[in-house]
């Protein structure tokens, strides 16, 4: 978060500029690196991390330029005004807790049993992946986002505010202020936002639901070719989910 010195009543005071300026990423795979690129293009600083160590991110940092640096997950968590958690679900308990207290934390997770192993509470639809992360981060403000779009489409569909072909992404969260801050970032990197409701309602955007991948996909290839999906289309797809 930036600060600026201003003068009033003949005294220097410090004014807090409310724009969050640094995005931390815990996980820097396809989705993480794509969000990082969009954030850098929008004027944010990014701190990247993964489970293999900062040295493995040297090429990505060089590609992103002077606004990017690499660190450990704890360092990315500490540095970020916002933090994106984009690790396989099976690793969510490894996300550092203390440095994320009080922060908006984006959860991009989807549940893939073949990759993650079985989560009985998810199989029984007793909870959602984002509620699991919120439980792990009790003092953070988790917002579900970026989980329903293929990374290639996320990279290609970003548009400036007011563009006729601007796409929308759904967000879910239990804290209205956190969702507002999340909306600000998503808007800045090129997308409108549809408020899908609470973290419990984020099951409407999980894999195999109508809003998952297909609204932004022009074909059945992987990754698919891109097509815009506006707010009304996304809202209708969320409503069509059988949950």
């Amino acid at each position: 978060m930036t600060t600026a010195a201003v003068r009033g009543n003949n005294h220097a005071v410090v004014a807090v500029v409310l724009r969050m300026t640094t995005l931390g990423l815990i996980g820097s795979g396809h989705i993480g690196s794509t969000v990082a690129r969009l954030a850098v293009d929008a004027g944010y600083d990014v701190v990247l991390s993964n489970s293999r160590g900062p040295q493995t991110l040297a090429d990505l940092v060089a590609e992103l330029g002077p606004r990017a640096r690499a660190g450990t997950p704890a360092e990315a968590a500490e540095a970020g005004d916002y933090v994106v958690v984009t690790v396989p679900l099976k690793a969510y308990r490894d996300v550092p807790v203390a440095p994320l207290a009080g922060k908006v934390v984006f959860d991009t997770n989807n549940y893939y049993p073949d990759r993650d192993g079985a989560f009985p509470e998810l199989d029984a639809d007793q909870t959602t992946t984002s509620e699991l992360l919120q439980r792990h981060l009790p003092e953070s403000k988790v917002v579900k986002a970026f989980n329903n779009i293929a990374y290639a489409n996320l990279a290609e569909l970003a548009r400036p505010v007011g563009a006729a072909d601007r796409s929308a992404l759904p967000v879910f969260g239990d804290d209205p202020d956190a969702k507002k801050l999340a909306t600000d970032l998503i808007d800045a990197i090129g997308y409108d936002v549809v408020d899908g409701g609470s973290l419990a309602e984020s099951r409407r955007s999980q894999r195999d639901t109508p809003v998952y991948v297909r609204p932004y996909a022009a074909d059945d290839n992987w990754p698919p070719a891109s097509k815009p999906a506006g707010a009304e289309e996304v809202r209708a797809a969320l409503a069509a989910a059988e949950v």
Side-chain angles (χ1 to χ4, degrees):
M1 184 179 293
T2 56
T3 59
V6 297
R7 194 164 295 277
N9 298 324
N10 297 319
H11 295 286
V13 298
V14 174
V16 177
V17 180
L18 294 179
R19 181 173 183 257
M20 306 287 204
T21 60
T22 301
L23 182 68
L25 294 112
I26 299 176
S28 299
H30 287 314
I31 289 291
S33 61
T34 299
V35 173
R37 288 185 182 92
L38 294 174
V40 166
D41 289 346
Y44 290 86
D45 296 325
V46 299
V47 182
L48 302 145
S49 71
N50 63 17
S51 61
R52 295 176 293 128
Q55 70 281 357
T56 66
L57 295 167
D59 289 346
L60 179 58
V61 168
E63 175 192 336
L64 293 175
R67 288 192 175 276
R69 65 182 176 89
T72 65
E75 289 168 340
E78 183 67 39
D81 296 314
Y82 301 95
V83 178
V84 177
V85 170
T86 180
V87 299
L89 180 63
K90 63 185 178 182
Y92 85 89
R93 296 179 186 88
D94 297 332
V95 173
V97 176
L100 292 175
K103 295 186 178 183
V104 175
V105 177
F106 289 89
D107 169 39
T108 77
N109 260 320
N110 290 299
Y111 174 39
Y112 299 98
D114 290 346
R115 178 196 67 184
D116 299 315
F119 282 70
E121 62 268 57
L122 296 177
D123 294 331
D125 200 26
Q126 295 170 343
T127 190
T128 63
T129 61
S130 293
E131 288 174 297
L132 290 179
L133 184 63
Q134 182 66 84
R135 216 177 296 161
H136 176 67
L137 302 173
E139 296 184 39
S140 302
K141 300 170 184 179
V142 173
V143 174
K144 186 75 165 188
F146 302 120
N147 68 299
N148 73 308
I149 184 170
Y151 69 91
N153 301 149
L154 181 62
E156 293 169 359
L157 290 172
R159 299 288 189 275
V161 174
D165 62 345
R166 204 178 203 221
S167 295
L169 297 173
V171 301
F172 304 83
D174 294 338
D175 185 296
D177 292 336
K179 282 198 284 190
K180 174 61 171 65
L181 289 170
T183 296
D184 291 344
L185 181 134
I186 293 170
D187 179 59
I189 68 173
Y191 287 86
D192 290 337
V193 170
V194 172
D195 186 343
S198 67
L199 292 180
E201 292 175 286
S202 67
R203 53 176 47 89
R204 293 183 176 276
S205 71
Q206 63 194 11
R207 58 180 294 200
D208 300 329
T209 59
V211 83
Y212 184 74
V213 177
R214 289 203 170 275
Y216 316 95
D219 56 39
D220 293 326
N221 297 323
W222 189 260
S226 300
K227 72 175 184 66
E232 289 307 313
E233 181 178 353
V234 169
R235 196 171 287 114
L238 289 172
E242 297 180 2
V243 296

